[in-house]
Amino acid sequence: GPVDGRPRMYTEMLEQPASVERALRGRLDERFATAHLGGLDMDARELRAVRRVKILGCGSAYYVGQMGASLVEELARIPADAEAASEFRYRDPVIEPDTLYVAVSQSGETIDTLLAVQEIRRKGGRVIGLVNVVGSAIARACDGGIYLHAGPEIAVASTKALTTMFVGFALLALQLGRVRDLSVADGRRLVAGLQSLPAQIEQVLGDEERIARAAASLATAESLFFVGRVRGYPVAREGAQKFKEISYRHAEAYQMSELKHGPLALVSPEVPTVALVPDDELTDRNVAALHEIDARGGPLVVVTHAGVDLGELRAERIDVPRNERELDPLLLTVPLQLLAYHAALTLGHDVDKPRNLAKSVTVE
Ligand code: BG6
């Protein structure tokens, strides 16, 4: 329930600088520009033998898994993807000996994720866990893993566990990268980037008033889009999920590049879009796509970096601090938590008791 009259979700959002700091503690090695995850229980030779990474989780954990897959591909150049753990076992999955399977779960008790782990192990695969609750069923079922150290997360809508999951993936990708071809310079860049995250999350949280104003304008819409490209797409999925979970508005995530292949038909002054536009190699393409929305009168909220030129676009903008490009998804995610939270409050919903949802689903 509420703490000091504030919803639990709110206090947990505010804990994120501290929980991310804990997730990083003792795991960064500045000398060798890498990460050390002792719990993996894999030596350099075993880490080098990984040919593919497959990530499994449910709900928010699945979307962070997609962010994690990008990190692994970018930093370690190992093919990686994420899949909903809830579907995995039903398709008699092929388990490969040189694939590293990663199960992600806050509670460590989600039955769908646990059954995916058991399916992998039954077929002889190696699976590690990214888990928050120490000694939980999934943690025990895995070959090894990384504890998130987010602290207890009670609110149904996951916030602080989710950001520590991202950090867990960044550390894993860094370690996998540094036993391969990721350079010392790139390793240093990422170590420094990770170290600046807690203060930068604090900065985003400090922008709450502006984000609350944007949320109030979105809350009246019956339906909205969340769009992003490549690194931004799983952020859009997570943002849409959070929005629908607690505001009960229809929110749908789309890849920015797919807009013109369908959903643009629905864009109108009644259907706003929340867009993720980090300052990266895709910014110009993203801004061009937003002009298509603007031209159809679609209201826009753009989460971006200071200095990104949105041209003549009519948009409310939310700037987040710059970090290394690979780490952008984390700082883009935080304003979307506040956006969903304030939209729900505007609509008078109890954010800690979203209808029809449980914190963890432990029965089939
Ligand atoms: C869902 C919850 O049932 O389980 C989500 O409603 C959560 O909020 C998902 O992300 C996965 O939970 P866990 O504990 O495995 O991370």
Side-chain angles (χ1 to χ4, degrees), residues 139-152:
R140 281 181 281 123
C142 288
D143 291 287
I146 304 167
Y147 279 122
L148 301 171
H149 303 306

Side-chain angles (χ1 to χ4, degrees), residues 7 24 55 84 130 170 179 190 266 269 274 279 281 288 308 320 337 348 354 358:
L24 288 168
I55 299 159
L130 248 72
V179 295
L190 285 146
L266 287 178
V274 178
D279 186 6
E281 63 285 3
V308 167
V320 298
Q337 301 171 340

Side-chain angles (χ1 to χ4, degrees), residues 58-61 104-108 110 113 156 165 245 358-361:
C58 296
S60 293
V104 202
S105 174
Q106 188 287 127
S107 62
T110 300
T113 311
V156 175
M165 285 170 185
E245 279 181 319
K359 179 64 178 159
S360 54
V361 181

